[in-house]
Amino acid sequence: MRDNELTSWLACLGRLSAEQRLQLRQRLDTVAAEDGVEAALLRRRSRHPECPHCQGLHVVRNGHADGRQRYKCRDCGRSFNTLTGTPLARLRRRERWMEQTEVLASGLSVRKSAERLQVHRTTAFRWRHRFLSLPKSVKASGLQGVAEADETYQLRSFKGQPQLLAEQSRQARRHGGRAAKRGLSDEQVPVLVLRDRSGATTDFVLPDGSKAAVKQVLPLALATDTVLCTDGSGTLAAAARELGLEHQAVNISKGERRRGAWHIQNVNAYHSRFKTWMRRFNGVATSYLESYLGWFRALDRNAQSSAKPASLLDLALGV
């Protein structure tokens, strides 16, 4: 638009009714949201210039479709756009994606998300898990210095999976419910959380609480010279010993909270924040537990760095 056209257009704003001004504001918000999405896609394109089909770098522009730039790979001959190969490919209503990041940042339930986004509940659910597809695998590795480790447990759930629930020969729980057995049992899913003193965090959903399961994941999380600090768990101590890791234990069961520099207060505080945040969902299906762990890790990182909700779009795109 030319400057004189813009001046004429702005001069008409005073004649708009309240309803017309609301419509204009909504349209401008939509355009701004679309611009935000386009900026994220451009960042992804600059970070990943290769062809998503063959990873070739001989890529040229190849027209537009649905208002989006398309590209063609000279190596494999296939065409694509900036969303091809991402979890958000073929997902519609891009003008709502920035609002979806705000919904994720707020931790809304599926029902409340659908109301906020003005979409059906199944659409809100699908969008949630498309956006969480990559964040669930974005976790720290090679933790340095002192890494605190402790297990937390989530109730095993087949929410939304009636066929699997029927195979368990038990009644469905209401609003998350409680385990039928006291203490630890196969009704509980162990989650090992490790966090170093800088705030870098990683976690693993374990098949069981055995030493073998712990030994498989510790090398993925820790640098070889990291000091592992735990609450005196025999399983973690045995795994650390067999892996040759330096291990310091604080005997929580005997009331020891801290011994010099050794404590697990950081990881316990993380557990507390995670469990408080999870209560709003009234139980989640175990098959989606890794997605919720990744979601909370992203929110916790954003809280540390004061990142805006829009950063969740970059995370969903793999920027």
Side-chain angles (χ1 to χ4, degrees):
M1 179 181 288
R2 297 177 181 176
D3 290 344
N4 60 341
E5 293 175 327
L6 176 61
T7 301
S8 299
W9 188 82
L10 292 175
C12 297
L13 292 180
R15 300 201 297 271
L16 297 179
S17 66
E19 178 64 26
Q20 289 172 333
R21 289 176 183 175
L22 177 61
Q23 293 177 15
L24 176 60
R25 187 178 300 112
Q26 290 173 341
R27 180 56 185 156
L28 289 175
D29 288 344
T30 298
V31 172
E34 292 173 344
D35 288 345
V37 172
E38 192 61 34
L41 293 175
L42 289 175
R43 286 193 294 273
R44 185 187 186 279
R45 178 66 190 149
S46 64
R47 183 76 64 88
H48 300 281
E50 72 278 2
C51 169
H53 303 296
C54 71
Q55 285 69 55
L57 294 175
H58 192 188
V59 173
V60 296
R61 294 175 183 269
N62 190 39
H64 290 77
D66 297 326
R68 186 163 306 285
Q69 177 69 55
R70 291 194 64 81
Y71 303 88
K72 185 171 184 178
C73 177
R74 294 299 190 189
D75 293 331
C76 68
R78 300 178 70 179
S79 63
F80 59 93
N81 62 28
T82 45
L83 284 171
T84 304
T86 74
L88 305 190
R90 301 183 182 278
L91 202 62
R92 298 183 179 181
R93 304 190 68 176
R94 289 191 291 269
E95 73 278 3
R96 297 283 186 185
W97 290 4
M98 297 305 292
E99 195 168 4
Q100 168 67 13
T101 66
E102 296 174 2
V103 164
L104 289 174
S106 300
L108 299 184
S109 66
V110 168
R111 187 179 298 276
K112 290 182 179 178
S113 298
E115 293 174 357
R116 171 80 174 271
L117 297 168
Q118 298 180 352
V119 297
H120 194 272
R121 290 193 302 276
T122 58
T123 300
F125 181 82
R126 184 172 65 254
W127 283 15
R128 169 182 293 181
H129 289 284
R130 288 280 200 98
F131 270 72
L132 297 179
S133 180
L134 291 181
K136 69 181 180 182
S137 61
V138 178
K139 57 178 72 175
S141 61
L143 301 184
Q144 302 285 335
V146 177
E148 304 171 18
D150 197 12
E151 291 174 328
T152 185
Y153 293 84
Q154 290 291 309
L155 199 58
R156 193 178 301 278
S157 172
F158 301 98
K159 186 175 182 179
Q161 302 166 313
Q163 184 175 355
L164 291 176
L165 176 61
E167 295 173 1
Q168 305 303 308
S169 301
R170 67 168 176 81
Q171 295 295 317
R173 304 187 188 98
R174 291 181 60 82
H175 304 296
R178 295 181 179 180
K181 303 175 184 177
R182 296 184 64 182
L184 299 181
S185 67
D186 58 1
E187 291 184 80
Q188 307 281 347
V189 180
V191 179
L192 178 63
V193 179
L194 300 102
R195 186 175 174 91
D196 67 20
R197 300 290 167 83
S198 71
T201 306
T202 189
D203 50 55
F204 301 92
V205 178
L206 302 178
D208 52 56
S210 67
K211 178 183 66 176
V214 172
K215 279 182 63 177
Q216 284 188 337
V217 301
L218 284 183
L220 303 177
L222 305 176
T224 55
D225 60 347
T226 301
V227 179
L228 182 66
C229 189
T230 72
D231 63 353
S233 162
T235 300
L236 285 168
R241 183 171 57 253
E242 294 186 14
L243 291 171
L245 295 169
E246 182 178 348
H247 175 240
Q248 297 290 338
V250 180
N251 199 332
I252 301 294
S253 62
K254 292 186 177 181
E256 186 179 33
R257 295 286 180 253
R258 188 182 189 111
R259 181 166 51 80
W262 315 119
H263 62 81
I264 58 168
Q265 294 172 6
N266 290 318
V267 73
N268 281 344
Y270 184 87
H271 282 174
S272 178
R273 294 196 299 274
F274 174 67
K275 289 180 177 180
T276 299
W277 179 79
M278 283 286 283
R279 288 192 193 107
R280 70 192 69 191
F281 302 115
N282 294 320
V284 301
T286 300
S287 58
Y288 291 121
L289 181 54
E290 288 189 348
S291 294
Y292 283 81
L293 287 165
W295 183 0
F296 184 74
R297 282 197 311 274
L299 296 182
D300 197 65
R301 286 195 304 270
N302 282 2
Q304 291 182 63
S305 62
S306 300
K308 295 181 179 179
S311 65
L312 296 173
L313 179 56
D314 283 352
L315 193 59
L317 291 169
V319 176

